[in-house]
Amino acid sequence: MIHSMSGGIIKDAGSYTFVKIKFDGDETPRWYISDFDAEEGDRVTAPDANNRPAQATVVRVERSVSGQVAPVPVRRAKKIISVIRN
């Protein structure tokens, strides 16, 4: 049965800002969701693989990304804790 004909409502996918970050001492970049204005080169604090806050550098920013085409599943994506301002 076609979903729209069954009376269901298609969930809004939402729009997110994704940032790819590199943790200090780790060469593997990872995607995170950011609720802050972050730019390439900014220093941020985010949960590492062990969910401990760690510092990292932003290497890429993708704004207004639909949840349907996100680089990682939105449900599993971690969020940046803060942007470090000097």
Side-chain angles (χ1 to χ4, degrees):
M1 177 182 287
I2 297 173
H3 183 74
S4 62
M5 293 182 72
S6 66
I9 298 173
I10 297 174
K11 182 182 175 188
D12 181 20
S15 179
Y16 304 90
T17 298
F18 278 87
V19 293
K20 186 181 269 189
I21 62 174
K22 269 191 192 178
F23 287 101
D24 298 347
D26 185 2
E27 290 299 314
T28 305
R30 292 176 170 79
W31 286 104
Y32 281 71
I33 293 175
S34 178
D35 293 332
F36 307 99
D37 289 329
E39 300 295 331
E40 290 181 15
D42 282 353
R43 299 285 294 162
V44 296
T45 303
D48 64 9
N50 298 315
N51 282 327
R52 292 181 296 211
Q55 292 189 359
T57 302
V58 176
V59 294
R60 186 171 175 179
V61 179
E62 295 287 333
R63 291 181 174 79
S64 301
V65 177
S66 167
Q68 294 176 334
V69 295
V72 295
V74 174
R75 282 189 164 177
R76 287 188 269 172
K78 295 179 183 180
K79 288 188 175 187
I80 287 180
I81 297 169
S82 65
V83 176
I84 302 168
R85 302 284 183 206
N86 292 335

